[in-house]
């Protein structure tokens, strides 16, 4: 392997004229000497493309690809995967700012884990900070950034029905905005599911987990995420995507006895985020009657942290973070 293999940075964007400049600049200022930057604009209707062209002018390693229709984030990421020439691929979001050492840190973590374990089906996630409009911040600690690295169905169970194994650190989940992996890993697992307009990164991680993949993380804060709203981030759109995920993995969920459980839990989340309080309470009560032990354990694991988090955001409904 050459000393500095090529790393592809992929950024998808849609109507992000207010944030794309900082995201691009953080990508162009990475301290890795061999990179290519591929930006896919998913049919923006504002000045996003004009800003991109201005920022990347003079950077021969930066390429802009414009979609003629809006296909969603999964389709845009698949365009990046098809065009990428890097041995490694890292995704940045259009409203995030990555620190200059992000690529180097994730690359070194991934290669060190490969050398110690001999595993080559790996997703490496960066830790970050999410900042809300009211300046409230939370740290997003990367999955697998502690010695107990999750792998295989342990991760699929967590993502589909919050099944947790003692001693495993699941952190901030599996967001694509924090992901780096070898191109061979994406080739082995398959492209993002373009039929999903949300949770497509969760779907990719589930497939990787079922294939036996390992999920490692960097404990260092490597990016700043600006929490933004959009027409594709509503509670209803999130629920629809989550329920499609349940149907996609229905056989797997039934083998675990968690098909109905998963559907009910995603509906409970939807009623909460959309401020449908009566439906939330009645559905939650029925959920706890049907699953008294697992349901209560699930609630106790998530509810206190969720309550504190929403107080910090000043949230009064409107969608999951």
């Amino acid at each position: 392997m050459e000393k500095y293999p090529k790393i592809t940075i992929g950024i998808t964007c849609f109507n992000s004229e207010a944030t794309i400049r900082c995201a691009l600049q953080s990508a162009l200022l990475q301290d890795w000497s061999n990179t290519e930057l591929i930006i896919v604009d998913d049919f923006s209707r504002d000045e996003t493309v004009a800003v991109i062209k201005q920022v990347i002018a003079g950077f021969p390693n930066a390429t802009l690809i414009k979609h003629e229709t809006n296909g969603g984030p999964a389709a845009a990421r698949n365009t990046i995967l098809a065009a990428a020439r890097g041995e490694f691929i890292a995704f940045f979001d259009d409203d995030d700012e990555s620190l200059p050492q992000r690529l180097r840190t994730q690359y070194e973590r991934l290669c060190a884990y490969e050398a110690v374990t001999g595993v080559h089906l790996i997703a490496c996630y960066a830790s970050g900070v999410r900042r809300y409009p009211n300046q409230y911040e939370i740290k997003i600690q990367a999955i697998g950034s502690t010695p107990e690295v999750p792998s295989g169905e342990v991760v699929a169970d967590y993502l589909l029905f919050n099944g947790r194994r003692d001693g495993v650190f699941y952190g901030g989940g599996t967001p694509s905005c924090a992901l780096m992996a070898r191109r061979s890993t994406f080739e082995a697992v398959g492209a993002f599911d373009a039929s999903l307009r949300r949770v497509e990164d969760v779907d990719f991680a589930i497939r990787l987990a079922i294939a036996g993949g390992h999920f490692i993380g960097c404990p260092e804060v490597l990016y700043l995420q600006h929490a933004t709203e959009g027409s594709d981030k509503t509670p209803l759109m999130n629920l629809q995507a989550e329920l499609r995920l349940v149907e996609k993995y229905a056989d797997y969920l039934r083998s675990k006895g968690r098909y109905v459980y998963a559907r009910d839990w995603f509906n409970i989340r939807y009623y909460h985020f959309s401020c449908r309080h009566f439906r939330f309470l009645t559905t939650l009560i029925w959920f706890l009657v049907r699953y008294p032990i697992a349901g209560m354990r699930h609630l106790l694991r998530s509810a206190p942290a969720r309550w504190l988090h929403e107080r910090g955001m000043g949230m009064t409904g409107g969608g999951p973070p």
Side-chain angles (χ1 to χ4, degrees):
M1 182 189 298
E2 58 183 302
K3 185 177 181 182
Y4 297 105
K6 185 181 291 293
I7 299 177
T8 298
I9 303 172
I11 299 180
T12 65
C13 55
F14 174 68
N15 288 350
S16 56
E17 62 180 1
T19 60
I20 189 64
R21 182 182 300 275
C22 289
L24 292 172
Q25 289 173 339
S26 75
L28 293 168
L29 290 173
Q30 290 295 300
D31 67 6
W32 192 259
S33 62
N34 189 8
T35 64
E36 65 172 357
L37 172 59
I38 300 176
I39 310 110
V40 174
D41 179 75
D42 199 26
F43 200 57
S44 293
R45 310 312 296 161
D46 61 3
E47 295 301 311
T48 296
V49 170
V51 175
I52 293 170
K53 289 180 177 179
Q54 182 186 62
V55 174
I56 69 173
F59 289 92
N61 65 327
T63 302
L64 169 63
I65 301 173
K66 294 189 292 182
H67 279 182
E68 296 304 316
T69 59
N70 180 261
R77 290 194 187 102
N78 289 342
T79 298
I80 291 170
L81 292 177
R85 296 174 298 162
E87 185 177 346
F88 297 82
I89 300 171
F91 287 104
F92 291 11
D93 263 8
D94 61 3
D95 53 2
D96 294 352
E97 299 173 55
S98 291
L99 274 64
Q101 67 271 28
R102 175 177 164 181
L103 291 185
R104 180 181 300 278
T105 304
Q106 288 189 267
Y107 168 81
E108 291 176 350
R109 170 75 167 122
L110 199 158
C111 291
Y113 190 80
E114 288 178 336
V116 170
T117 64
V119 174
H120 291 286
L121 201 58
I122 304 168
C124 179
Y125 292 87
S127 296
V129 171
R130 181 185 296 133
R131 179 180 296 163
Y132 290 86
N134 66 355
Q135 301 305 303
Y136 164 66
E137 293 184 352
I138 60 167
K139 183 176 181 181
I140 308 169
Q141 190 71 39
I143 186 172
S145 55
T146 63
E148 187 70 25
V149 170
S151 63
E153 293 186 1
V154 167
V155 177
D157 292 352
Y158 167 70
L159 294 172
L160 283 167
F161 56 88
N162 202 39
R164 294 173 182 254
R165 184 168 298 180
D166 291 342
V168 176
F169 182 70
Y170 299 95
T174 56
S176 58
C177 68
L179 172 62
M180 175 189 281
R182 286 186 179 271
R183 183 168 59 181
S184 59
T185 296
F186 290 104
E187 292 169 347
V189 175
F192 291 91
D193 186 343
S195 71
L196 295 169
R197 303 288 294 204
R198 295 283 290 165
V199 302
E200 73 289 338
D201 46 4
V202 176
D203 171 68
F204 173 81
I206 291 169
R207 284 185 281 126
L208 175 60
I210 292 174
H214 288 224
F215 295 75
I216 65 174
C218 301
E220 306 92 337
V221 170
L222 297 174
Y223 69 95
L224 170 64
Q225 181 182 79
H226 298 279
T228 57
E229 297 181 354
S231 59
D232 60 341
K233 298 179 181 180
T234 66
L236 181 58
M237 289 194 70
N238 218 67
L239 174 66
Q240 291 170 339
E242 288 169 338
L243 294 181
R244 290 194 66 174
L245 206 62
V246 170
E247 295 307 316
K248 184 172 182 176
Y249 297 100
D251 290 342
Y252 179 85
L253 286 165
R254 288 190 177 102
S255 75
K256 302 278 185 172
R258 283 291 181 263
Y259 172 75
V260 176
Y261 182 103
R263 285 188 61 90
D264 286 351
W265 182 255
F266 287 136
N267 276 296
I268 288 168
R269 280 170 47 86
Y270 166 68
Y271 294 138
H272 169 68
F273 289 125
S274 58
C275 296
R276 298 178 63 179
H277 303 301
F278 179 76
R279 290 298 301 273
F280 168 74
L281 287 173
T282 55
T283 308
L284 178 60
I285 290 169
W286 171 243
F287 181 79
L288 294 175
V289 169
R290 185 164 188 164
Y291 305 101
I293 298 176
M296 185 57 69
R297 184 184 298 121
H298 190 158
L299 194 65
L300 291 174
R301 281 171 172 168
S302 59
R306 164 58 55 185
W307 182 79
L308 289 172
H309 177 49
E310 290 180 5
R311 280 179 58 87
M313 287 192 298
M315 180 177 167
T316 57

